[in-house]
Amino acid sequence: MNSAAKTVTKRTDTGGSGNSSAHTSYYVTFEVQSGDRLELKLNGRSYRQLAEHDFGILTFQGTRFKTFERHKKESYDE
């Protein structure tokens, strides 16, 4: 599914203790044009390329992030 969206927040979750390896999970909350929000898990590279309040076209399938094509917009209306 493709949707106009903006990034709202970014967060990481670091896990692992004892004998398990440390790992970091990356999450971004997107707000789509309808106003609905969804949090998707991204890989580290995609996560680092995004900033909060970026506008663009979000491609996702269910809860799986595919791509986010950033645009130089300030709002959904432009």
Coordinates of all heavy atoms in Angstrom, one line a residue:
M1 N 0.8 -1.2 0.0 CA 0.0 0.0 0.0 C 0.9 1.2 0.0 O 1.9 1.3 0.7 CB -0.9 0.0 1.2 CG -1.7 1.3 1.5 SD -2.7 1.2 2.9 CE -4.3 1.3 2.0
N2 N 0.5 2.2 -0.8 CA 1.2 3.5 -0.8 C 0.3 4.6 -0.2 O -0.9 4.6 -0.4 CB 1.5 3.9 -2.2 CG 2.5 3.0 -2.9 OD1 3.3 2.4 -2.2 ND2 2.5 3.0 -4.2
S3 N 0.9 5.5 0.6 CA 0.2 6.5 1.2 C 1.0 7.8 1.4 O 2.2 7.6 1.8 CB -0.4 6.1 2.5 OG -1.2 7.1 3.2
A4 N 0.5 9.0 1.2 CA 1.2 10.2 1.7 C 1.3 10.1 3.2 O 0.4 9.7 3.9 CB 0.4 11.4 1.2
A5 N 2.5 10.4 3.7 CA 2.7 10.3 5.1 C 3.8 11.2 5.6 O 4.5 11.8 4.8 CB 3.1 8.9 5.4
K6 N 3.9 11.4 6.9 CA 5.0 12.1 7.5 C 5.5 11.3 8.7 O 4.8 10.5 9.3 CB 4.6 13.5 7.9 CG 3.7 13.6 9.1 CD 3.4 15.0 9.5 CE 2.5 15.1 10.7 NZ 2.2 16.5 11.2
T7 N 6.8 11.5 9.0 CA 7.3 10.8 10.1 C 7.0 11.7 11.4 O 7.0 12.9 11.3 CB 8.9 10.7 10.0 OG1 9.4 12.0 9.9 CG2 9.3 9.8 8.8
V8 N 6.6 11.0 12.4 CA 6.2 11.7 13.6 C 7.3 11.5 14.7 O 7.7 12.5 15.3 CB 4.8 11.1 14.1 CG1 4.4 11.8 15.4 CG2 3.7 11.3 13.1
T9 N 7.6 10.3 15.0 CA 8.7 10.0 16.0 C 9.5 8.9 15.6 O 9.1 8.0 14.7 CB 8.1 9.7 17.4 OG1 7.3 8.5 17.3 CG2 7.3 10.8 17.9
K10 N 10.7 8.8 16.1 CA 11.7 7.7 15.9 C 12.1 7.2 17.3 O 12.2 8.0 18.2 CB 12.9 8.2 15.2 CG 12.7 8.7 13.8 CD 13.9 9.4 13.2 CE 15.1 8.5 13.1 NZ 16.2 9.0 12.4
R11 N 12.3 5.9 17.4 CA 12.8 5.3 18.7 C 13.6 4.1 18.4 O 13.4 3.5 17.3 CB 11.6 5.0 19.6 CG 10.7 3.9 19.3 CD 9.7 3.6 20.3 NE 8.9 2.4 20.0 CZ 9.1 1.2 20.3 NH1 10.2 0.9 21.1 NH2 8.3 0.2 20.0
T12 N 14.4 3.7 19.3 CA 15.1 2.5 19.3 C 14.8 1.7 20.5 O 14.4 2.2 21.5 CB 16.7 2.7 19.2 OG1 17.1 3.5 20.4 CG2 17.0 3.5 18.0
D13 N 15.0 0.4 20.4 CA 14.8 -0.6 21.5 C 16.1 -1.5 21.5 O 16.3 -2.2 20.5 CB 13.6 -1.4 21.3 CG 13.3 -2.3 22.4 OD1 13.7 -2.0 23.6 OD2 12.6 -3.3 22.2
T14 N 16.9 -1.4 22.6 CA 18.1 -2.2 22.7 C 17.8 -3.4 23.6 O 17.3 -3.2 24.7 CB 19.2 -1.3 23.2 OG1 19.4 -0.2 22.3 CG2 20.5 -2.1 23.2
G15 N 18.2 -4.5 23.2 CA 17.9 -5.7 24.0 C 19.1 -6.6 24.0 O 20.2 -6.3 23.4
G16 N 19.0 -7.7 24.8 CA 20.1 -8.6 25.0 C 20.8 -8.5 26.3 O 21.1 -7.4 26.8
S17 N 20.9 -9.6 27.0 CA 21.6 -9.6 28.3 C 22.2 -11.0 28.5 O 21.8 -11.9 27.8 CB 20.6 -9.2 29.4 OG 19.6 -10.1 29.5
G18 N 23.0 -11.1 29.5 CA 23.6 -12.4 29.8 C 24.4 -12.9 28.6 O 25.3 -12.3 28.1
N19 N 24.0 -14.1 28.2 CA 24.8 -14.8 27.1 C 24.3 -14.4 25.7 O 24.9 -14.8 24.7 CB 24.7 -16.3 27.2 CG 25.4 -16.8 28.4 OD1 26.4 -16.2 28.9 ND2 25.0 -17.9 29.0
S20 N 23.2 -13.6 25.6 CA 22.6 -13.3 24.3 C 23.3 -12.0 23.8 O 23.8 -11.2 24.6 CB 21.1 -13.1 24.4 OG 20.8 -12.0 25.2
S21 N 23.4 -11.9 22.5 CA 24.0 -10.8 21.9 C 23.1 -9.5 22.0 O 21.9 -9.6 21.9 CB 24.2 -11.1 20.4 OG 25.1 -12.2 20.2
A22 N 23.8 -8.4 22.2 CA 23.0 -7.1 22.2 C 22.5 -6.9 20.8 O 23.2 -7.1 19.8 CB 23.9 -6.0 22.7
H23 N 21.3 -6.3 20.7 CA 20.8 -5.9 19.4 C 19.9 -4.7 19.6 O 19.4 -4.4 20.6 CB 20.0 -7.1 18.8 CG 18.7 -7.3 19.5 ND1 18.7 -8.1 20.7 CD2 17.4 -6.9 19.3 CE1 17.4 -8.2 21.1 NE2 16.6 -7.4 20.3
T24 N 19.8 -3.9 18.5 CA 19.0 -2.7 18.5 C 17.9 -2.9 17.4 O 18.2 -3.3 16.3 CB 19.8 -1.5 18.2 OG1 20.9 -1.4 19.2 CG2 19.0 -0.2 18.2
S25 N 16.7 -2.6 17.8 CA 15.6 -2.5 16.9 C 15.2 -1.0 16.6 O 15.3 -0.2 17.6 CB 14.3 -3.3 17.4 OG 14.7 -4.6 17.6
Y26 N 14.8 -0.7 15.4 CA 14.5 0.7 15.0 C 13.1 0.8 14.6 O 12.6 0.0 13.8 CB 15.4 1.1 13.8 CG 16.9 0.9 14.1 CD1 17.6 -0.2 13.8 CD2 17.6 2.0 14.7 CE1 18.9 -0.4 14.1 CE2 19.0 1.8 15.0 CZ 19.6 0.7 14.7 OH 20.9 0.5 15.0
Y27 N 12.4 1.8 15.2 CA 11.0 2.0 14.9 C 10.7 3.5 14.5 O 11.3 4.4 15.1 CB 10.1 1.7 16.1 CG 10.3 0.3 16.6 CD1 11.2 -0.1 17.5 CD2 9.4 -0.7 16.1 CE1 11.4 -1.4 17.9 CE2 9.5 -2.0 16.5 CZ 10.5 -2.4 17.4 OH 10.6 -3.7 17.8
V28 N 9.8 3.7 13.6 CA 9.4 5.0 13.2 C 7.9 5.0 13.2 O 7.2 4.1 12.7 CB 9.9 5.4 11.8 CG1 9.4 6.8 11.4 CG2 11.4 5.5 11.8
T29 N 7.3 6.1 13.8 CA 5.8 6.3 13.7 C 5.5 7.2 12.6 O 6.1 8.3 12.5 CB 5.3 6.9 15.0 OG1 5.6 5.9 16.1 CG2 3.8 7.1 15.0
F30 N 4.7 6.8 11.7 CA 4.2 7.5 10.5 C 2.8 8.0 10.7 O 2.0 7.2 11.3 CB 4.3 6.7 9.2 CG 5.7 6.3 8.9 CD1 6.2 5.1 9.3 CD2 6.5 7.1 8.1 CE1 7.5 4.7 8.9 CE2 7.8 6.8 7.7 CZ 8.3 5.6 8.1
E31 N 2.5 9.2 10.3 CA 1.1 9.6 10.2 C 0.7 9.7 8.8 O 1.3 10.5 8.0 CB 0.9 10.9 10.9 CG -0.5 11.4 10.9 CD -0.7 12.7 11.7 OE1 -0.5 12.7 12.9 OE2 -1.0 13.7 11.0
V32 N -0.3 9.0 8.4 CA -0.8 9.0 7.0 C -1.8 10.1 6.8 O -2.2 10.7 7.8 CB -1.4 7.6 6.5 CG1 -0.3 6.6 6.5 CG2 -2.5 7.2 7.4
Q33 N -2.1 10.4 5.6 CA -3.0 11.6 5.3 C -4.3 11.6 6.0 O -4.8 12.6 6.3 CB -3.2 11.7 3.7 CG -3.7 13.0 3.3 CD -3.6 13.2 1.8 OE1 -3.2 12.3 1.1 NE2 -4.0 14.4 1.3
S34 N -4.9 10.4 6.3 CA -6.2 10.3 7.0 C -6.0 10.7 8.4 O -7.1 10.8 9.1 CB -6.7 8.9 6.8 OG -5.8 8.0 7.6
G35 N -4.8 10.8 8.9 CA -4.6 11.1 10.3 C -4.3 9.9 11.2 O -3.9 10.0 12.3
D36 N -4.4 8.7 10.6 CA -4.1 7.5 11.3 C -2.6 7.4 11.5 O -1.8 7.9 10.6 CB -4.6 6.2 10.6 CG -6.1 6.1 10.5 OD1 -6.7 6.7 11.5 OD2 -6.6 5.5 9.6
R37 N -2.1 6.8 12.6 CA -0.7 6.6 12.8 C -0.4 5.1 12.9 O -1.2 4.3 13.4 CB -0.3 7.3 14.1 CG -0.3 8.8 14.1 CD 0.2 9.4 15.3 NE 0.2 10.9 15.1 CZ 0.8 11.7 15.9 NH1 1.4 11.3 17.0 NH2 0.8 13.0 15.7
L38 N 0.8 4.8 12.4 CA 1.3 3.4 12.5 C 2.8 3.4 12.8 O 3.5 4.2 12.3 CB 0.9 2.6 11.3 CG 1.5 3.0 10.0 CD1 1.6 1.8 9.1 CD2 0.5 3.9 9.3
E39 N 3.2 2.5 13.7 CA 4.6 2.4 14.0 C 5.1 1.2 13.3 O 4.6 0.1 13.4 CB 4.8 2.2 15.5 CG 6.3 2.1 15.9 CD 6.5 1.9 17.4 OE1 6.1 0.9 17.9 OE2 7.0 2.9 18.0
L40 N 6.2 1.4 12.5 CA 6.8 0.3 11.7 C 8.2 0.1 12.1 O 8.9 1.0 12.4 CB 6.7 0.6 10.2 CG 5.3 0.9 9.6 CD1 5.4 1.3 8.2 CD2 4.4 -0.4 9.8
K41 N 8.7 -1.2 12.0 CA 10.0 -1.5 12.3 C 10.9 -1.3 11.0 O 10.4 -1.8 10.0 CB 10.1 -2.9 12.8 CG 11.5 -3.4 13.3 CD 11.5 -4.8 13.9 CE 12.8 -5.2 14.4 NZ 12.8 -6.5 15.0
L42 N 12.0 -0.7 11.1 CA 12.9 -0.4 10.0 C 14.2 -1.0 10.3 O 14.6 -1.3 11.4 CB 13.1 1.1 9.8 CG 11.9 1.8 9.1 CD1 10.7 1.9 9.9 CD2 12.5 3.2 8.7
N43 N 15.0 -1.2 9.2 CA 16.4 -1.6 9.4 C 17.2 -0.3 9.8 O 16.7 0.8 9.6 CB 17.0 -2.3 8.2 CG 17.0 -1.4 6.9 OD1 17.3 -0.2 7.0 ND2 16.8 -2.0 5.8
G44 N 18.4 -0.5 10.3 CA 19.2 0.7 10.8 C 19.5 1.7 9.7 O 19.4 2.9 9.9
R45 N 19.7 1.2 8.5 CA 20.0 2.2 7.4 C 18.9 3.1 7.0 O 19.0 4.3 6.9 CB 20.5 1.4 6.1 CG 20.9 2.3 5.0 CD 21.4 1.5 3.8 NE 21.8 2.4 2.8 CZ 21.9 2.1 1.5 NH1 21.5 0.9 1.1 NH2 22.3 2.9 0.6
S46 N 17.7 2.5 6.9 CA 16.5 3.2 6.6 C 16.1 4.2 7.7 O 15.8 5.4 7.5 CB 15.3 2.3 6.3 OG 15.5 1.5 5.2
Y47 N 16.3 3.7 8.9 CA 16.0 4.6 10.1 C 16.9 5.8 10.1 O 16.4 6.9 10.4 CB 16.3 3.7 11.4 CG 16.1 4.4 12.7 CD1 14.9 4.5 13.3 CD2 17.2 5.0 13.3 CE1 14.7 5.2 14.5 CE2 17.1 5.7 14.5 CZ 15.8 5.7 15.1 OH 15.7 6.4 16.3
R48 N 18.2 5.6 9.8 CA 19.1 6.8 9.9 C 18.9 7.8 8.8 O 19.2 8.9 8.9 CB 20.6 6.3 9.8 CG 21.0 5.6 11.1 CD 22.5 5.2 11.2 NE 22.8 4.2 10.2 CZ 22.6 2.9 10.5 NH1 22.2 2.5 11.7 NH2 23.0 1.9 9.7
Q49 N 18.2 7.4 7.7 CA 18.0 8.3 6.6 C 16.7 9.2 6.8 O 16.5 10.1 6.0 CB 17.8 7.5 5.3 CG 19.1 6.8 4.8 CD 18.8 6.0 3.6 OE1 17.7 5.6 3.2 NE2 19.9 5.7 2.9
L50 N 16.0 8.9 7.8 CA 14.8 9.6 8.1 C 14.9 10.6 9.3 O 15.7 10.3 10.2 CB 13.6 8.7 8.4 CG 13.2 7.7 7.3 CD1 12.1 6.8 7.8 CD2 12.7 8.5 6.1
A51 N 14.2 11.7 9.2 CA 14.2 12.7 10.3 C 12.7 12.9 10.6 O 11.8 12.7 9.8 CB 14.8 14.0 9.8
E52 N 12.5 13.3 11.9 CA 11.1 13.5 12.3 C 10.6 14.7 11.4 O 11.3 15.6 11.1 CB 11.1 13.9 13.8 CG 11.3 12.7 14.6 CD 11.2 12.9 16.1 OE1 10.9 14.1 16.5 OE2 11.5 12.0 16.9
H53 N 9.3 14.6 11.1 CA 8.6 15.6 10.3 C 8.9 15.6 8.8 O 8.6 16.5 8.1 CB 8.7 17.0 10.9 CG 8.5 17.0 12.4 ND1 7.2 16.8 12.9 CD2 9.3 17.3 13.4 CE1 7.3 16.9 14.2 NE2 8.5 17.2 14.5
D54 N 9.6 14.5 8.3 CA 9.8 14.3 6.9 C 8.4 14.0 6.3 O 7.6 13.3 6.8 CB 10.7 13.2 6.6 CG 12.2 13.5 6.7 OD1 12.5 14.7 6.8 OD2 13.0 12.6 6.7
F55 N 8.2 14.6 5.1 CA 7.0 14.2 4.3 C 7.4 13.4 3.1 O 8.5 13.6 2.6 CB 6.3 15.5 3.8 CG 5.4 16.1 4.8 CD1 5.9 17.1 5.7 CD2 4.1 15.8 4.9 CE1 5.1 17.7 6.6 CE2 3.3 16.4 5.9 CZ 3.8 17.3 6.7
G56 N 6.5 12.5 2.7 CA 6.8 11.7 1.5 C 5.7 10.6 1.3 O 4.6 10.7 1.8
I57 N 6.1 9.6 0.5 CA 5.2 8.5 0.1 C 5.7 7.3 0.9 O 6.8 6.8 0.6 CB 5.2 8.3 -1.4 CG1 4.7 9.5 -2.1 CG2 4.3 7.1 -1.7 CD1 3.3 10.0 -1.8
L58 N 4.9 6.8 1.7 CA 5.2 5.6 2.5 C 4.6 4.4 1.8 O 3.5 4.4 1.4 CB 4.6 5.7 3.9 CG 4.6 4.4 4.8 CD1 6.1 4.1 5.1 CD2 3.8 4.6 6.0
T59 N 5.5 3.3 1.6 CA 5.0 2.1 1.0 C 5.2 1.0 2.1 O 6.3 0.9 2.7 CB 5.9 1.7 -0.2 OG1 5.8 2.7 -1.2 CG2 5.3 0.4 -0.8
F60 N 4.1 0.3 2.4 CA 4.1 -0.7 3.5 C 3.2 -1.8 3.1 O 2.3 -1.6 2.3 CB 3.9 -0.1 4.8 CG 2.5 0.5 5.0 CD1 1.4 -0.2 5.6 CD2 2.2 1.7 4.5 CE1 0.2 0.3 5.7 CE2 0.9 2.3 4.6 CZ -0.1 1.6 5.2
Q61 N 3.3 -2.9 3.8 CA 2.4 -4.1 3.6 C 2.1 -4.6 5.0 O 2.9 -5.1 5.6 CB 3.1 -5.2 2.7 CG 2.2 -6.3 2.4 CD 2.8 -7.3 1.5 OE1 4.0 -7.3 1.3 NE2 2.0 -8.2 0.9
G62 N 0.8 -4.3 5.4 CA 0.4 -4.7 6.7 C 1.2 -3.9 7.7 O 1.2 -2.6 7.7
T63 N 2.0 -4.5 8.5 CA 2.9 -3.8 9.5 C 4.4 -3.9 9.0 O 5.3 -3.5 9.8 CB 2.8 -4.5 10.9 OG1 3.2 -5.8 10.8 CG2 1.4 -4.3 11.4
R64 N 4.6 -4.2 7.8 CA 5.9 -4.3 7.2 C 6.3 -3.1 6.4 O 5.7 -2.8 5.4 CB 6.1 -5.6 6.4 CG 7.5 -5.8 5.9 CD 7.5 -7.2 5.2 NE 8.8 -7.2 4.5 CZ 9.0 -8.0 3.5 NH1 8.1 -8.7 3.0 NH2 10.2 -7.9 2.9
F65 N 7.4 -2.4 6.8 CA 7.9 -1.2 6.1 C 8.5 -1.7 4.8 O 9.3 -2.7 4.8 CB 8.9 -0.5 7.0 CG 9.6 0.6 6.3 CD1 9.1 1.9 6.2 CD2 10.9 0.4 5.7 CE1 9.8 2.9 5.6 CE2 11.6 1.4 5.1 CZ 11.0 2.7 5.0
K66 N 8.2 -1.0 3.7 CA 8.9 -1.2 2.4 C 9.8 -0.1 2.1 O 11.0 -0.3 2.1 CB 7.9 -1.4 1.3 CG 6.9 -2.6 1.5 CD 7.6 -3.9 1.1 CE 6.5 -5.0 1.0 NZ 7.0 -6.1 0.3
T67 N 9.3 1.1 1.8 CA 10.1 2.3 1.5 C 9.4 3.5 1.9 O 8.2 3.6 2.2 CB 10.3 2.4 0.0 OG1 9.1 2.6 -0.7 CG2 11.1 1.2 -0.6
F68 N 10.2 4.6 2.0 CA 9.7 5.9 2.2 C 10.4 6.9 1.3 O 11.6 7.0 1.4 CB 9.9 6.4 3.7 CG 9.2 7.7 4.0 CD1 7.9 7.8 4.2 CD2 10.0 8.9 4.1 CE1 7.3 9.1 4.5 CE2 9.5 10.1 4.4 CZ 8.1 10.2 4.6
E69 N 9.7 7.4 0.4 CA 10.3 8.4 -0.6 C 10.0 9.8 -0.1 O 8.9 10.3 -0.2 CB 9.7 8.1 -2.0 CG 10.3 9.0 -3.1 CD 9.6 8.8 -4.4 OE1 9.1 7.7 -4.6 OE2 9.7 9.7 -5.2
R70 N 11.1 10.4 0.4 CA 11.0 11.7 0.9 C 10.7 12.8 -0.1 O 11.2 12.7 -1.2 CB 12.2 12.1 1.7 CG 12.1 13.3 2.5 CD 13.4 13.5 3.3 NE 14.4 12.5 3.0 CZ 15.4 12.2 3.8 NH1 15.6 12.9 4.9 NH2 16.2 11.2 3.5
H71 N 9.9 13.8 0.2 CA 9.6 14.9 -0.7 C 9.9 16.2 0.1 O 9.9 16.2 1.3 CB 8.1 14.9 -1.1 CG 7.7 13.8 -1.9 ND1 7.5 13.9 -3.3 CD2 7.5 12.4 -1.7 CE1 7.2 12.7 -3.8 NE2 7.2 11.8 -2.8
K72 N 10.1 17.2 -0.7 CA 10.5 18.5 -0.1 C 9.2 19.3 0.2 O 9.1 20.5 0.0 CB 11.4 19.3 -1.0 CG 12.7 18.7 -1.1 CD 13.7 19.5 -1.9 CE 15.0 18.8 -2.1 NZ 16.0 19.6 -2.8
K73 N 8.2 18.6 0.8 CA 6.9 19.3 1.1 C 6.9 19.7 2.5 O 7.7 19.2 3.4 CB 5.8 18.3 0.9 CG 5.5 17.9 -0.5 CD 4.3 16.9 -0.4 CE 3.8 16.6 -1.8 NZ 2.6 15.8 -1.8
E74 N 6.0 20.7 2.8 CA 5.8 21.1 4.2 C 4.5 20.6 4.8 O 4.2 20.6 5.9 CB 5.8 22.6 4.3 CG 7.1 23.2 3.9 CD 8.3 22.9 4.8 OE1 8.0 22.9 6.0 OE2 9.4 22.8 4.4
S75 N 3.6 20.1 3.9 CA 2.3 19.6 4.3 C 1.8 18.6 3.2 O 2.3 18.5 2.1 CB 1.3 20.7 4.5 OG 0.9 21.2 3.3
Y76 N 0.7 18.0 3.5 CA 0.0 17.0 2.6 C -0.5 17.8 1.4 O -0.7 17.2 0.4 CB -1.1 16.3 3.3 CG -0.7 15.4 4.4 CD1 -1.2 15.6 5.7 CD2 0.2 14.3 4.2 CE1 -0.8 14.8 6.7 CE2 0.5 13.5 5.2 CZ 0.0 13.7 6.5 OH 0.4 12.9 7.5
D77 N -0.9 19.1 1.6 CA -1.6 19.8 0.6 C -0.7 20.3 -0.6 O -1.2 20.7 -1.6 CB -2.3 21.0 1.2 CG -3.3 20.6 2.2 OD1 -3.9 19.5 2.1 OD2 -3.4 21.3 3.3
E78 N 0.6 20.3 -0.4 CA 1.5 20.8 -1.5 C 1.7 19.8 -2.6 O 1.7 18.7 -2.4 CB 2.8 21.3 -0.8 CG 2.6 22.4 0.1 CD 3.9 22.8 0.7 OE1 5.0 22.6 0.1 OE2 3.9 23.4 1.8

